[in-house]
Amino acid sequence: MTRVVVITSGKGGVGKTTTSAAFASGLALRGFKTAVIDFDVGLRNLDLIMGCERRVVYDFVNVINGEARLNQALIKDKNCENLFVLPASQTRDKDALTEEGVEKVIKELEHLGFDYVVCDSPAGIERGAVMALTFADEAIVTTTPEVSSVRDSDRILGILQSKSRRAAEGREPVKEHLLLTRYSPKRVDEGEMLSYKDVQELLRVPLIGVIPESESVLHASNQGTPAIHLKGTDVSEAYTDVVARFLGEDRPLRFVNYDKPGLIKRLFGGK
Amino acid sequence: MSAPVPARPVEFRNASIGATVAVLRETRPHLVADALHKMLGGMPDFFNGEATLLDFGELGEAPAQIDWAGMLSLFKRFQLQPIGVRNLPPELATSARQAGLAVLDGAELRDRQSGGPAIDSVAVRQTPDEPTPPQPVPEASPAPIPAPTATMIVDRPVRSGQQVYARGGDLVLLAGMSNGAEVIADGSIHCYGPLRGRALAGAQGDTRARIISTNFGPEIVSIAGVYKTFEQGIPANIAGKPATVRLGGDDNQHKLGIEPLALD
Ligand SMILES: Nc1ncnc2c1ncn2[C@@H]1O[C@H](COP(=O)(O)OP(=O)(O)OP(=O)(O)O)[C@@H](O)[C@H]1O
Ligand SMILES: [Mg+2]
């Protein structure tokens, strides 16, 4: 059975695409045949993060419109054997995504034996975002520790439980996961940001992980390599934990505590 | 003769009371519709059923009458839900009430932008939802059997932008509600878990309705149309704790009383 996982948030710029790329790569690294679809028609970002922008010939909308076959549009990932990217079109208007079209593509991916389909949602609560979550079995709600992001996530959770197919058909609800991104334990400690406990208390969704704020995300995106591949970095480890928890493994939370610099360090500086 | 169309016939502001405020400088529905369409054309879902207060404080010249039905259906089309009016010329208030809108006193209820004094409690009566049609003379009927009241139970959290209405009975929330959500019941509201958005009990005028929560933290509560907002924050003895809200606190039938609730 194919599981469809949407990476969503409501608010823009919180790390959905970064997460989609890392999470899909992580599933593939664990041996699952995975497709990651860019639903952000008009912006097209995922192919840059995945480093396959030069190989885009056909896109999601071409497939929906019957102008290309799915396997012509799927781009094989350069790092993982069993990972494929379905890029968004940069030029089409947002109405190009129809519910029937998206359903057709997902059915076909199922037919091709994919274990997971990861949907990178655009920001907002409009058509594109609704299309991305319509067929979801599970949702990773990506949230930064800010009030505005939490509020938008709450709203998208409501939409998830009212507009998804599972909701419309009265089936078991979409399984929700909360992912905190761009988390800075130092700023939390200084009271500038909500803590992950605050966010969880507000949203009441099980926490699947906390991704620290880190420059390595920028490096990863400049290289066109999903951050999970940057071995030894906090972000790579944190995303690896997320994938493990998603697959049902127990992993303690990491990268959430701020170690205040000791007295010696504060007196004499140093790294 | 037709009045000139103002440059911005409608403008949206955030109010501290938890509702969106639509400042109307125009009352002819088709012109307001044009303006909304221009503003939100590509995003008909932008508002997602938000409770809206219509503010007439910046109306140039008061019209002789307002097509309330037209206005209400127009706002509904844009997923806004008008709940009341303010700063309305007094001669139009009756027609607004008949259209099911609460008439709020503009002087009492200000949003932050207008820079008015902060007010922590507002009491306003709201007329029942529907204008009452003339009642036909009832035929002789047997003694009334009390109808079983329908209780509505919601298992999942009510999220921001969502609205739940328990018509004709009580509402039980088993997973709480978020800021920006709205729950309405003709009877009482029982909330297990955080009560965070707008909770309106006794929506058809039942003054005995109550709001009961194990974790009190709403933006606004109302019983039978008497509202209370919490601009100054929620008193420490009940914030986040079990509490009940009922009408008739301090022996004043037009005031809400909120009391801690002792569990176990
Ligand atoms: N953990 C992180 N640490 C530092 N920067 C991050 C992190 N995660 C994401 N970013 C940065 O935040 C920005 C937005 O990330 P991304 O494009 O993944 O967000 P998005 O939610 O997909 O945005 P959009 O809503 O526009 O689609 C990027 O510049 C990215 O490099
Ligand atoms: Mg993105």
Side-chain angles (χ1 to χ4, degrees):
Chain A
M1 255 325 257
T2 309
R3 293 288 284 178
V4 179
V5 186
V6 63
I7 315 294
T8 186
S9 72
K11 190 167 156 68
V14 299
K16 292 180 292 296
T17 301
T18 303
T19 298
S20 299
F23 180 71
S25 300
L27 289 171
L29 288 173
R30 296 289 292 259
F32 295 102
K33 186 172 176 185
T34 305
V36 55
I37 307 182
D38 190 347
F39 276 77
D40 208 343
V41 172
L43 283 175
R44 207 180 108 183
N45 236 322
L46 180 68
D47 51 333
L48 291 173
I49 305 292
M50 300 294 300
C52 65
E53 71 277 10
R54 294 211 191 84
R55 288 189 286 147
V56 175
V57 181
Y58 295 110
D59 59 53
F60 193 15
V61 174
N62 289 135
V63 179
I64 286 180
N65 291 345
E67 296 150 0
R69 276 178 292 116
L70 179 58
N71 52 19
Q72 288 178 301
L74 283 174
I75 303 173
K76 195 166 176 306
D77 182 57
K78 60 186 184 191
N79 292 300
C80 303
E81 190 57 32
N82 39 8
L83 177 60
F84 295 82
V85 183
L86 185 52
S89 102
Q90 210 154 22
T91 49
R92 318 275 176 146
D93 76 303
K94 293 191 192 292
D95 294 340
L97 292 184
T98 60
E99 196 165 321
E100 302 75 53
V102 174
E103 183 169 25
K104 186 185 84 174
V105 170
I106 286 176
K107 283 248 166 73
E108 221 174 314
L109 287 167
E110 209 164 294
H111 210 76
L112 292 172
F114 277 89
D115 297 303
Y116 289 103
V117 175
V118 176
C119 303
D120 178 18
S121 173
I125 53 172
E126 291 130 45
R127 190 186 181 81
V130 174
M131 281 301 127
L133 61 76
T134 297
F135 298 96
D137 299 302
E138 306 196 31
I140 296 184
V141 178
T142 312
T143 310
T144 57
E146 300 157 286
V147 174
S148 60
S149 175
V150 172
R151 175 68 82 97
D152 287 358
S153 290
D154 194 67
R155 200 152 180 177
I156 209 80
L157 282 160
I159 292 172
L160 192 66
Q161 299 305 349
S162 57
K163 297 204 173 161
S164 61
R165 267 291 163 91
R166 281 179 172 267
E169 291 173 357
R171 284 186 284 147
E172 195 185 316
V174 177
K175 188 167 176 195
E176 302 163 343
H177 308 275
L178 171 64
L179 177 68
L180 262 113
T181 53
R182 312 203 62 165
Y183 196 79
S184 164
K186 178 164 181 284
R187 297 188 61 189
V188 172
D189 193 69
E190 287 163 357
E192 289 171 26
M193 283 188 154
L194 299 171
S195 74
Y196 72 90
K197 286 183 187 135
D198 294 335
V199 177
Q200 208 189 350
E201 222 270 308
L202 285 166
L203 289 176
R204 291 160 287 142
V205 170
L207 187 69
I208 197 168
V210 177
I211 310 297
E213 169 84 19
S214 161
E215 284 205 351
S216 46
V217 171
L218 186 65
H219 298 155
S221 86
N222 285 340
Q223 292 169 32
T225 305
I228 199 167
H229 293 302
L230 299 193
K231 289 270 140 49
T233 61
D234 289 4
V235 170
S236 159
E237 306 256 308
Y239 275 120
T240 306
D241 284 352
V242 168
V243 173
R245 290 188 199 107
F246 182 83
L247 296 172
E249 295 164 24
D250 242 350
R251 296 276 171 108
L253 269 189
R254 296 195 272 170
F255 318 114
V256 290
N257 293 320
Y258 175 54
D259 296 318
K260 284 211 180 68
L263 181 63
I264 308 267
K265 226 178 191 170
R266 268 185 284 149
L267 285 178
F268 299 105
K271 277 202 78 181
Chain B
M1 194 210 91
S2 75
V5 185
R8 301 187 64 191
V10 53
E11 188 178 318
F12 290 97
R13 293 180 189 165
N14 267 322
S16 45
I17 57 161
T20 295
V21 172
V23 179
L24 288 163
R25 304 198 180 89
E26 173 59 70
T27 57
R28 288 166 289 183
H30 68 283
L31 293 174
V32 177
D34 284 350
L36 283 171
H37 192 78
K38 243 183 243 156
M39 207 184 276
L40 306 166
M43 306 180 288
D45 278 351
F46 186 79
F47 281 110
N48 224 335
E50 259 155 53
T52 309
L53 200 56
L54 307 180
D55 187 328
F56 296 86
E58 295 177 25
L59 206 57
E61 203 178 312
Q65 56 184 36
I66 292 179
D67 173 5
W68 292 111
M71 289 290 244
L72 292 181
S73 75
L74 152 71
F75 276 95
K76 291 223 170 86
R77 235 187 312 136
F78 285 92
Q79 314 246 6
L80 284 162
Q81 205 217 342
I83 52 160
V85 297
R86 69 176 179 190
N87 299 321
L88 187 69
E91 57 279 13
L92 291 167
T94 310
S95 64
R97 281 204 193 89
Q98 279 168 354
L101 292 162
V103 178
L104 310 186
D105 186 340
E108 265 189 296
L109 192 70
R110 287 208 174 86
D111 58 49
R112 283 193 196 104
Q113 257 123 344
S114 65
I119 286 172
D120 71 336
S121 133
V122 180
V124 200
R125 284 215 51 91
Q126 187 182 24
T127 49
D129 244 28
E130 312 258 301
T132 28
Q135 295 291 316
V137 183
E139 289 169 28
S141 55
I145 300 162
T149 43
T151 300
M152 181 171 175
I153 302 180
V154 179
D155 291 298
R156 300 188 67 84
V158 185
R159 302 283 183 184
S160 174
Q162 291 188 313
Q163 191 194 46
V164 172
Y165 176 27
R167 189 185 295 278
D170 284 5
L171 176 63
V172 178
L173 303 177
L174 290 179
M177 65 183 294
S178 303
N179 286 306
E182 181 175 65
V183 299
I184 306 171
D186 289 343
S188 295
I189 295 170
H190 314 252
C191 179
Y192 300 86
L195 180 81
R196 284 186 183 133
R198 303 162 48 86
L200 319 179
Q204 299 281 352
D206 183 357
T207 52
R208 293 160 311 167
R210 295 198 189 188
I211 297 170
I212 303 146
S213 164
T214 59
N215 180 345
F216 194 76
E219 292 162 349
I220 185 168
V221 288
S222 153
I223 288 173
V226 178
Y227 284 77
K228 184 168 175 62
T229 59
F230 299 93
E231 273 192 63
Q232 307 289 304
I234 293 169
N237 66 324
I238 46 172
K241 303 199 175 94
T244 59
V245 184
R246 65 191 174 89
L247 203 53
D250 300 337
D251 291 329
N252 179 342
Q253 274 313 307
H254 299 292
K255 206 162 171 245
L256 294 185
I258 306 180
E259 284 142 28
L261 175 67
L263 294 181
D264 57 48

